[in-house]
Amino acid sequence: VHMLTKEAFNALLKTLEEPPAHAYFILATTEVHKIPETIISRCQRFDFKRITEKTIMTRLSYIAQLEKIEIEEGAIQLIAHYVDGGMRDAIGLLEQLTSDGKLSHEHVCKVLGMSDHESIERLYNYLLDSDTVSALNEAKNVHGQGHNMTQFLKSFLEYLRQRMLETLGGKHKASQAAWFLRAIDVFQEAAGQIRATVIPQLPLEVAIISLCEEELATPEAPVQTKAKVEPKKVEAKQEVKKEVMKKIE
């Protein structure tokens, strides 16, 4: 409804002020701020929120039980995560992906182009170790297995965010935050470049190289501060060097 023009809203307002007794008007929008206040003030407002993954998983399990579908727990979890809070989309995917009364974790990964959790963990560990070669090989394997690179980067960014929130409760918060913020920034930029590139895995590879080659402390390797050299010691060393040079001359 937010796509209506000002004139259309004015015409609708007259109808809402004197609605016919037999009719109910249901106005749906994802951009409520674009609806004139004169319209909102004459409506009952209901804000719909994203449904939690746990609730979606419970509902899908219930449907699978009623329909006698043999479904793996991992498959339900992947679907619930993929739909981002949309129950209708989750039920639709359950119907589409089920074949011969069965639905496996592997089939969901293949059809939706999603990577398994192990690939994400391996890439994360390679980045912590600044192991550029292994990280690039992991990116190559992910692409070679036919995974959707956009979806993989989305999952990896979610994993980075989760690890950042878990890790920042310990020591060395400043150094850890710097690494996580830089990592999220690099891979967020890579995710935005995928649609424009002719080589799908290239933005991911560039992000890996950029992060691994930077001298940033990882969460498991906090920054080691160098001891400050006192000015007097520096001056003394310079004087000694001058004396040596004079003798040489």
Side-chain angles (χ1 to χ4, degrees), residues 2-183:
H2 61 266
M3 298 296 290
L4 294 177
T5 62
K6 182 179 180 181
E7 292 75 16
F9 274 124
N10 289 334
L12 176 62
L13 180 60
K14 294 180 181 179
T15 305
L16 292 179
E17 288 176 338
E18 298 179 5
H22 65 279
Y24 289 91
F25 293 92
I26 300 176
L27 311 180
T29 180
T30 55
E31 300 182 41
V32 69
H33 60 278
K34 292 185 178 181
I35 310 300
E37 189 62 33
T38 52
I39 299 293
I40 295 177
S41 63
R42 288 167 173 79
C43 298
Q44 285 185 306
R45 176 172 170 175
F46 301 92
D47 292 317
F48 294 95
K49 300 178 181 179
R50 285 184 173 85
I51 303 174
T52 63
E53 288 188 17
K54 184 177 180 181
T55 302
I56 293 176
M57 290 176 63
T58 302
R59 186 61 180 175
L60 292 182
S61 298
Y62 175 72
I63 294 173
Q65 185 178 3
L66 287 180
E67 299 296 330
K68 295 180 172 56
I69 300 173
E70 295 181 18
I71 185 169
E72 296 178 0
E73 186 71 19
I76 295 178
Q77 187 174 2
L78 279 179
I79 293 174
H81 182 72
Y82 183 82
V83 297
D84 193 25
M87 182 67 78
R88 183 180 61 181
D89 293 338
I91 296 174
L93 281 175
L94 177 63
E95 295 175 350
Q96 295 170 23
L97 299 178
T98 301
S99 177
D100 297 327
K102 297 180 180 180
L103 184 58
S104 65
H105 176 274
E106 183 180 357
H107 182 63
V108 174
C109 285
K110 184 177 180 180
V111 174
L112 298 182
M114 301 176 71
S115 57
D116 55 27
H117 195 69
E118 293 179 357
S119 297
I120 293 174
E121 284 188 340
R122 282 196 299 267
L123 178 58
Y124 175 75
N125 289 327
Y126 292 145
L127 293 175
L128 289 182
D129 296 335
S130 297
D131 189 346
T132 308
V133 175
S134 297
L136 289 174
N137 285 334
E138 188 63 36
K140 180 181 178 182
N141 292 335
V142 169
H143 179 258
Q145 292 171 5
H147 297 304
N148 184 291
M149 300 307 293
T150 301
Q151 183 62 41
F152 176 79
L153 277 169
K154 178 186 176 184
S155 299
F156 188 67
L157 282 166
E158 290 175 347
Y159 182 81
L160 279 177
R161 172 183 171 272
Q162 188 63 36
R163 292 304 298 266
M164 177 182 67
L165 296 177
E166 293 174 357
T167 306
L168 292 184
K171 300 178 181 179
H172 311 292
K173 292 184 180 180
S175 61
Q176 292 171 355
W179 187 86
F180 277 115
L181 292 175
R182 178 56 181 159

Side-chain angles (χ1 to χ4, degrees), residues 1 20 45 61 66 75 125 191 196 199 203 209 230 248:
V1 72
R45 176 172 170 175
S61 298
L66 287 180
N125 289 327
I199 305 175
I209 295 172
E230 297 180 3
I248 294 174

